[in-house]
Amino acid sequence: MRKTATYGFLLTLLLASACKKVIDVDLKSATPQIVIEGNITDAGGPYIVKITKTVDFSAENVYPPVTNAVVTITDSTMKRTEQLQQIDSGVYVTSTIIGQTRHTYGMVVDVDGQRYTASSTMPRRVQLDSITFAENVNFNNQTEINAVVNFQDPVAIGNYYMFTEYVNSRQIPDIFVFEDRLSTGRYIEEPLFNDSSYLQKGDTLVLSMDCIDRNTYDYFFTLLNVTGNNNFQSVTPSNPVTNISNGALGYFSAHTVQRTAITVY
Amino acid sequence: MTNYLYKRGKRRASGARKAYRIALVWAACLLSVIASGQSRYTVNGTIRDKNSGEALIGATVSLLETKTPERGILSNSYGFYSVTAPAGHYTLLITFSGYQPDSLAIDLTHNLTLPIELATAAGQLAEVVVSAQKRNDNVTRPLMGVQKLTTKEINDIPVLFGEKDVLKTIQLLPGIQFAGDGNSGFYVRGGGADQNLILLDEATVYNPSHLLGFFSTFNSDAIKDVTVYKGGMPAEYGGRLASVVDIKMNDGNDKEYHFGGGIGLISTRLSAEGPIVPDKGSFSISGRRTYADLFLKFSPDSSVNDNSLYFYDLNVKANYKFDERNHIYFSGYFGRDNLAFGNTFGIDYGNATGTARWNHVFSNRLFSNTSLISSKYSYKIRINSENNDIGFTSDIRDADLKEDLQYFVDAASKIDFGFSVIHHIIAPGIIDASSGSSYNSLTLQNKYSLENAVYISHQWSPTDKLHFDYGLRASDFLVLGPGDFYTYDSAGNTTDTAHYNSGKIIKTYTNPEPRFSVSFQLDEESSVKASYNRNTQVLHLLSNSTSSNPTDLWIPSSNNVRPEIADQESIGYFKNFKDNRYEFSVEAYYKSMQNQIDYKNGAQLIANEYVESQLLFGKGRAYGLELFLKKKAGKFTGWLSYTLSRTELKIDGVNQNNWYPAKQDRTHDISLVGIYQAGRKWTLSATWVYYTGNAVTWPNGKYNINGQTAFYYTERNAYRMPAYHRMDVAATLQGRKRKRFSGSWTFSVYNLYGRENAYSIVFQTDPNDPTKTQALQYSLFRFVPSVTYNFKF
């Protein structure tokens, strides 16, 4: 429910008259921390685990890959383990594991004598019914076109969803997560509000609907809480809640994938 | 475990023993005081304004012939006074700031009831005459950490949009800190914004702000008296850790009708007062409505103008005096904000309070007030988009019974005692969703509780130099059924659910709260004071966003959440000079706080039945030094206040369990206020504030996740917002007085030199260069001019 948004728009009204400027802030540098991003899906492999390190705020957005890691993924349900191969700097891929719903996967990453572990269970797939479009006036007071996802949430509580949009093959920076905590068993018609107008009539939209587990939902929910325009009303910033042990940043997610291509109307 | 229980039991026993000992000492004092009275008589009555009949709060009454004439006793909240002395002939002297002093020869050979009326110090010159009166209460009274503001000071000080504002004005006083632009919350001695008890005619006001915090809920037209206690709280008050802001509404003129109002850029105010029965009863009504939404209509942005953004509020009060012994009062407040974004989103919220009071004089020395109070804060959110037609409502409702008694022993001794019972019902949230919507309708269970307290305190001056004010408040909090009560493990998973029926007591918290203040007068013009007090807080406001929202959630203490406790010690030196024209004070305080609340990372506070599982607990400490220099008389008046302070928290699970600065930690906080009476027509005023930026959490690094830049945080509140400073000026032109009609123009500029104070700093990818990140500062107001026309007749 977009209650924060409700309130955020009011601030936006006030901030319409506000001035903004880029300022210099003197941020301390931090010891580079390991960042792991691992995904297993129900689409065919190979599946990728990307390992990088953080850089200082003032640095360029170039993140050093970690090339000396040993990465294994275990299908705990099938009791099958595989060591991943590095195909590009910091990019490790599987070759045999096949992602299946309701299987639990474990990831172990060994780097420089440190071990990072995580596990994730791929939820049951919920079918996306359709994508429709709606016009809304956004908080910057522009009319924008938003995709609306339509699907039936299952009767049992505990379903988590993530939506990613690609317009004309480019990923839109907004990520959407949705939980059925307040919507269990409902037919969901959820507009995906963008921070800017990205969708134009005639564009090709590829929308990915992923059924994610609770940890992945928590990760992206807490990540979204501290990024972008949410900062006006945000919680005290902190690193997202991760399912990876030992202080690593990032997440490990086993999830289903449904990609749908549609022309924006 | 047994060991733990044993220790707890022991601690409670020692607390009880301490309370018992205090009670014993007190009883001994009282007996000695009463025993010494032989053929003593009492003069009592009520002190009122001669022209309006308004009861005067805090007027000084003394007998010139007794050895402490300048101290005397103070009239109470209803103007009642009572002085007892050995039989004799005396001169009764009554003084009150802004009024002509009065003296009466009295023959105290029998008990007397003597209503007193004081005339305002009329004309411009009187300002000086009155101020030259000895007003050294600040030196002689044991009260510490108390600030009082007069309506005149509130009226003369410039504020945003020319909307004079009690809560904004008190934030210019030492130890009371402005929470920032767009935030009507304030921090007292390191306490959070929810740790202030804000009372309007005794009723708790749960949300003291309008329009996202730019205005307070208090219409200054309706207000008679404001007192802020930031330490050394009298035992009569309890329920919040940091401060008490006690606001009293005007009673209304019981002699003649008057009307007044003001027309400003964003609001209009109207008020009326007059007798119901002349000299016996009166009423007062004040209302205001903003038209900020009209502003939106002027917005160049065409789509802004179908939005609404306004508030209104209404203060009503009526009273009737049956006789000198019985007086009843009814007062009420109702206010509502309405903010909407087209048809898509909307929120309205507001407070409603009502107080019915009965003053009864049992004897010429025993004054009683009985109050029945109700208070409600509620909000409703409407969301209407796609298939979703959803309402979300939440409220908190209080019903209280409060009894306060004052026994005026003699000129050197007074006893206050009483009790209060507050029944709280909190409805955390009701979702009302249409059948086709994506959300389920849901009603979170109501939370019921009872907040009880009994108190007794004694103001006592054993010598004319030494004054004590000490007492004990015992608070008792009952968590009541019906409801499901949950037990959580450390990960926040529910391990047990217990259902209790209506009327069942789930948990009881009893806390003795000792209060103690002492002052020792060094000479006529200076004194030293010390105080200790314990306060507890049983209701907690959950808000994990960076500024306060109308949707922040109040929760009662429960089986999982314990009452917050604060112990504060303070010492101070008070000095008046130049015949009390100047007032100087320095106070130092140390406060330790237990059971402070913080939130788990990503805490879900909205519509969450298990919201208590989202909380973290810890402790806090705050200490500081406050300097205050005030010029009270002459053409130029004003003050300088400086606070040096530190506030830190240590919460389990935050910042590696290390102490870290609280958001409201302010190293330096300066307020400078000047009011200049330029001739008969013009009053000029200016304020300047400066404070160290709030403690904030900023990233120390960044990384890439899912194709986007994310920020890496290593330490809580390790950075500072840029320092905040701002100057506001105002000029008031008093129009010529014609018969009864008088009008005035107030011109003001908020943020005179256009400082771009940071409201928020956002970190993001540089839109012009995706290989870089940048920090973007948002600031709100630069030069906000305003003009207001005020009138009365």
Side-chain angles (χ1 to χ4, degrees):
Chain A
M1 207 179 278
R2 291 177 63 88
K3 261 180 235 111
T4 26
T6 313
Y7 201 65
F9 101 82
L10 299 165
L11 272 164
T12 313
L13 288 183
L14 288 158
L15 288 166
S17 63
C19 11
K20 58 181 180 183
K21 63 176 182 189
V22 175
I23 55 161
D24 271 333
V25 287
D26 188 17
L27 298 170
K28 289 177 239 175
S29 71
T31 316
Q33 178 63 267
I34 198 150
V35 182
I36 304 170
E37 192 177 359
N39 288 291
I40 302 282
T41 72
D42 64 344
Y47 308 115
I48 299 172
V49 173
K50 257 171 87 175
I51 308 175
T52 53
K53 285 201 163 175
T54 62
V55 297
D56 287 348
F57 184 83
S58 55
E60 290 223 329
N61 293 345
V62 176
Y63 305 100
V66 174
T67 54
N68 59 337
V70 176
V71 184
T72 59
I73 286 184
T74 303
D75 181 335
S76 314
T77 314
M78 302 285 285
K79 310 249 184 311
R80 187 180 297 159
T81 300
E82 170 185 356
Q83 184 174 337
L84 281 68
Q85 300 303 311
Q86 190 171 189
I87 55 153
D88 196 357
S89 293
V91 179
Y92 299 81
V93 297
T94 60
S95 47
T96 61
I97 279 190
I98 297 166
Q100 291 184 66
T101 57
R102 307 174 81 175
H103 282 209
T104 299
Y105 297 88
M107 177 186 73
V108 177
V109 175
D110 287 299
V111 187
D112 299 333
Q114 296 288 319
R115 170 163 285 196
Y116 308 94
T117 62
S119 98
S120 176
T121 302
M122 192 182 299
R124 197 199 307 235
R125 183 189 183 104
V126 174
Q127 195 61 39
L128 177 67
D129 200 355
S130 64
I131 300 168
T132 51
F133 294 94
E135 282 194 352
N136 288 298
V137 177
N138 71 10
F139 300 144
N140 298 320
N141 300 303
Q142 302 160 305
T143 302
E144 63 175 34
I145 301 172
N146 298 127
V148 180
V149 288
N150 304 285
F151 59 95
Q152 176 66 48
D153 183 72
V155 180
I157 195 170
N159 292 284
Y160 305 91
Y161 308 91
M162 179 158 131
F163 303 93
T164 317
E165 293 173 299
Y166 303 83
V167 178
N168 302 331
S169 309
R170 283 184 54 186
Q171 188 188 337
I172 288 186
D174 306 328
I175 296 166
F176 305 89
V177 288
F178 185 84
E179 61 167 338
D180 69 348
R181 182 170 72 91
L182 300 171
S183 302
T184 311
R186 284 278 178 165
Y187 188 79
I188 312 292
E189 295 174 42
E190 187 70 8
L192 307 179
F193 291 109
N194 301 114
D195 274 348
S196 320
S197 315
Y198 293 110
L199 304 189
Q200 306 296 332
K201 281 182 184 160
D203 284 349
T204 303
L205 170 72
V206 174
L207 188 139
S208 174
M209 168 166 160
D210 303 344
C211 296
I212 55 180
D213 68 0
R214 182 177 180 160
N215 289 333
T216 309
Y217 173 83
D218 285 345
Y219 178 83
F220 282 98
F221 178 77
T222 49
L223 177 70
L224 295 171
N225 263 340
V226 297
T227 44
N229 288 335
N230 276 332
N231 262 4
F232 289 125
Q233 282 299 296
S234 85
V235 300
T236 300
S238 54
N239 299 319
V241 181
T242 179
N243 60 345
I244 305 176
S245 69
N246 205 9
L249 297 163
Y251 67 94
F252 173 63
S253 170
H255 56 85
T256 67
V257 174
Q258 289 168 75
R259 282 178 177 247
T260 313
I262 186 168
T263 304
V264 179
Y265 59 82
Chain B
M1 188 65 193
T2 1
N3 189 25
Y4 171 73
L5 283 175
Y6 167 74
K7 270 189 191 154
R8 272 179 50 76
K10 203 168 156 189
R11 203 183 304 158
R12 181 170 296 173
S14 93
R17 214 176 302 136
K18 204 188 278 175
Y20 175 72
R21 213 179 299 144
I22 290 169
L24 205 66
V25 171
W26 175 80
C29 294
L30 182 62
L31 281 173
S32 69
V33 163
I34 291 169
S36 65
Q38 282 171 358
S39 68
R40 298 161 69 87
Y41 297 102
T42 301
V43 53
N44 73 318
T46 305
I47 305 173
R48 295 180 183 281
D49 179 297
K50 192 170 202 155
N51 298 320
S52 68
E54 281 287 337
L56 300 181
I57 302 170
T60 308
V61 183
S62 54
L63 298 173
L64 206 54
E65 289 77 5
T66 57
K67 61 179 177 178
T68 55
E70 76 280 359
R71 202 169 53 79
I73 69 113
L74 297 183
S75 61
N76 72 9
S77 306
Y78 307 91
F80 180 83
Y81 76 95
S82 169
V83 183
T84 300
H89 298 284
Y90 294 97
T91 309
L92 190 71
L93 184 67
I94 309 99
T95 57
F96 188 53
S97 173
Y99 284 79
Q100 287 171 9
D102 200 2
S103 62
L104 293 161
I106 56 165
D107 195 9
L108 206 58
T109 50
H110 53 283
N111 289 332
L112 280 174
T113 294
L114 199 61
I116 291 163
E117 292 191 327
L118 291 186
T120 39
Q124 304 291 329
L125 280 173
E127 188 79 22
V128 184
V129 176
V130 170
S131 310
Q133 284 297 321
K134 278 197 177 162
R135 289 295 299 170
N136 60 348
D137 285 345
N138 59 309
V139 168
T140 58
R141 306 264 157 202
L143 287 175
M144 284 194 78
V146 180
Q147 302 280 358
K148 247 176 148 29
L149 274 182
T150 65
T151 324
K152 180 152 175 54
E153 281 165 339
I154 293 165
N155 289 346
D156 286 340
I157 289 170
V159 282
L160 182 64
F161 295 124
E163 214 28 51
K164 48 193 175 180
D165 195 317
V166 179
L167 290 190
K168 296 282 187 228
T169 307
I170 63 170
Q171 293 164 27
L172 297 167
L173 297 167
I176 305 173
Q177 296 167 342
F178 177 49
D181 281 329
N183 206 331
S184 134
F186 54 95
Y187 308 127
V188 179
R189 289 187 170 174
D194 69 321
Q195 294 177 349
N196 303 312
L197 179 64
I198 298 173
L199 299 172
L200 180 64
D201 271 358
E202 297 185 283
T204 306
V205 175
Y206 282 95
N207 183 350
S209 71
H210 278 309
L211 283 188
L212 314 165
F214 289 102
F215 307 96
S216 84
T217 48
F218 305 105
N219 178 351
S220 55
D221 284 352
I223 288 162
K224 170 150 84 175
D225 184 87
V226 181
T227 311
V228 187
Y229 301 90
K230 51 191 183 178
M233 282 81 166
E236 170 191 354
Y237 300 105
R240 296 291 184 280
L241 290 198
S243 77
V244 178
V245 179
D246 191 3
I247 299 171
K248 296 189 173 83
M249 278 162 49
N250 283 322
D251 295 334
N253 193 315
D254 67 357
K255 296 181 168 41
E256 54 190 31
Y257 293 97
H258 282 281
F259 303 91
I263 298 164
L265 282 184
I266 70 145
S267 77
T268 288
R269 294 173 282 110
L270 287 172
S271 62
E273 57 175 343
I276 296 172
V277 178
D279 293 323
K280 281 195 167 289
S282 63
F283 73 92
S284 165
I285 294 184
S286 315
R288 65 178 167 163
R289 162 74 155 88
T290 63
Y291 23 80
D293 40 346
L294 298 182
F295 253 166
L296 299 178
K297 304 254 188 282
F298 296 129
S299 167
D301 220 325
S302 64
S303 49
V304 177
N305 45 33
D306 54 342
N307 303 322
S308 67
L309 181 67
Y310 66 87
F311 71 81
Y312 59 90
D313 54 24
L314 189 65
N315 291 75
V316 183
K317 191 163 177 177
N319 72 91
Y320 184 77
K321 184 170 71 173
F322 290 96
D323 52 40
E324 284 302 322
R325 288 175 169 263
N326 293 288
H327 201 147
I328 54 167
Y329 300 80
F330 296 97
S331 46
Y333 167 84
F334 185 81
R336 207 81 194 156
D337 279 58
N338 202 314
L339 314 164
F341 185 63
N343 292 322
T344 325
F345 299 109
I347 176 169
D348 66 273
Y349 61 94
N351 300 284
T353 71
T355 310
R357 293 191 273 201
W358 172 40
N359 283 180
H360 179 65
V361 180
F362 278 103
S363 79
N364 48 21
R365 288 157 74 175
L366 183 62
F367 178 91
S368 145
N369 176 61
T370 311
S371 299
L372 283 170
I373 306 159
S374 75
S375 176
K376 179 179 176 179
Y377 173 71
S378 63
Y379 69 85
K380 183 177 173 77
I381 295 172
R382 297 168 311 266
I383 299 172
N384 200 334
S385 75
E386 315 310 323
N387 58 324
N388 292 321
D389 182 4
I390 300 165
F392 184 91
T393 52
S394 172
D395 63 43
I396 174 165
R397 279 164 287 162
D398 281 4
D400 339 357
L401 167 66
K402 193 163 177 278
E403 173 63 45
D404 299 298
L405 292 138
Q406 295 175 327
Y407 185 69
F408 294 80
V409 182
D410 59 24
S413 176
K414 181 184 159 215
I415 294 158
D416 289 72
F417 56 106
F419 68 87
S420 83
V421 177
I422 309 176
H423 185 247
H424 301 287
I425 304 173
I426 298 175
I430 297 168
I431 298 174
D432 182 17
S434 60
S435 58
S437 95
S438 300
Y439 294 89
N440 291 304
S441 291
L442 173 73
T443 302
L444 299 180
Q445 58 181 348
N446 283 354
K447 299 188 184 227
Y448 301 91
S449 57
L450 206 54
E451 183 179 354
N452 302 319
V454 291
Y455 71 91
I456 184 157
S457 69
H458 184 202
Q459 290 174 34
W460 181 45
S461 309
T463 76
D464 60 350
K465 289 204 179 320
L466 189 61
H467 311 295
F468 292 102
D469 188 345
Y470 60 97
L472 182 72
R473 182 182 179 87
S475 60
D476 184 39
F477 185 72
L478 308 177
V479 182
L480 302 177
D484 289 326
F485 290 80
Y486 308 104
T487 313
Y488 304 104
D489 64 15
S490 57
N493 300 311
T494 311
T495 55
D496 186 39
T497 304
H499 181 79
Y500 291 87
N501 290 327
S502 178
K504 280 270 187 287
I505 297 167
I506 287 83
K507 184 88 190 167
T508 304
Y509 291 102
T510 306
N511 279 299
E513 303 176 30
R515 312 283 172 89
F516 176 83
S517 305
V518 58
S519 76
F520 182 73
Q521 215 171 317
L522 301 170
D523 56 45
E524 274 291 281
E525 294 194 315
S526 62
S527 64
V528 286
K529 304 182 191 179
S531 79
Y532 162 75
N533 59 289
R534 167 171 281 205
N535 281 290
T536 63
Q537 176 162 348
V538 293
L539 297 184
H540 322 277
L541 187 66
L542 303 187
S543 161
N544 66 348
S545 67
T546 39
S547 64
S548 59
N549 282 351
T551 53
D552 291 343
L553 177 71
W554 285 96
I555 60 159
S557 297
S558 69
N559 54 322
N560 295 307
V561 183
R562 311 174 84 182
E564 300 172 57
I565 298 174
D567 290 285
Q568 185 183 179
E569 295 95 37
S570 55
I571 51 168
Y573 172 74
F574 295 74
K575 164 95 183 154
N576 287 4
F577 44 93
K578 295 253 168 99
D579 205 19
N580 292 320
R581 283 162 190 266
Y582 292 86
E583 182 181 315
F584 169 77
S585 67
V586 50
E587 290 187 50
Y589 65 90
Y590 183 88
K591 183 153 67 175
S592 63
M593 294 168 276
Q594 305 169 44
N595 307 329
Q596 298 297 287
I597 296 175
D598 208 321
Y599 313 96
K600 285 186 179 160
N601 200 350
Q604 267 287 10
L605 304 182
I606 295 169
N608 189 352
E609 181 69 41
Y610 310 100
V611 70
E612 290 173 357
S613 69
Q614 308 288 300
L615 307 180
L616 298 171
F617 302 98
K619 55 188 181 178
R621 63 186 180 202
Y623 46 96
L625 187 72
E626 300 167 356
L627 298 170
F628 187 54
L629 176 66
K630 185 174 186 180
K631 182 170 185 292
K632 297 194 289 186
K635 285 191 163 176
F636 180 81
T637 55
W639 67 80
L640 170 65
S641 103
Y642 170 72
T643 309
L644 173 70
S645 65
R646 173 156 291 174
T647 306
E648 294 169 309
L649 293 169
K650 187 178 188 296
I651 305 281
D652 286 339
V654 176
N655 217 39
Q656 287 89 46
N657 296 353
N658 292 319
W659 285 100
Y660 65 93
K663 178 179 71 178
Q664 67 270 27
D665 176 51
R666 294 266 170 86
T667 313
H668 305 287
D669 192 305
I670 302 170
S671 302
L672 188 60
V673 176
I675 302 168
Y676 182 70
Q677 188 73 46
R680 284 172 174 271
K681 282 187 164 177
W682 287 94
T683 307
L684 309 175
S685 63
T687 60
W688 184 74
V689 295
Y690 172 96
Y691 62 79
T692 308
N694 283 353
V696 286
T697 306
W698 283 348
N700 283 354
K702 59 187 174 184
Y703 55 101
N704 188 285
I705 210 83
N706 214 8
Q708 305 299 324
T709 299
F711 298 109
Y712 173 42
Y713 300 93
T714 57
E715 221 180 327
R716 177 76 71 102
N717 288 354
Y719 289 94
R720 292 280 168 180
M721 291 291 273
Y724 181 103
H725 55 92
R726 191 190 80 229
M727 180 178 234
D728 308 333
V729 291
T732 300
L733 172 65
Q734 189 66 50
R736 186 167 297 153
K737 218 170 172 163
R738 261 177 260 133
K739 289 188 187 166
R740 285 174 50 143
F741 187 89
S742 69
S744 68
W745 290 92
T746 300
F747 308 91
S748 70
V749 184
Y750 182 88
N751 200 1
L752 180 70
Y753 54 82
R755 158 87 176 169
E756 290 181 12
N757 285 305
Y759 174 73
S760 171
I761 290 177
V762 173
F763 297 90
Q764 62 175 31
T765 302
D766 185 342
N768 303 318
D769 181 0
T771 66
K772 293 231 159 59
T773 44
Q774 60 179 203
L776 198 60
Q777 171 185 301
Y778 284 81
S779 36
L780 291 181
F781 301 114
R782 300 182 66 190
F783 334 104
V784 184
S786 74
V787 56
T788 308
Y789 178 71
N790 288 305
F791 61 91
K792 56 180 180 226
F793 57 90

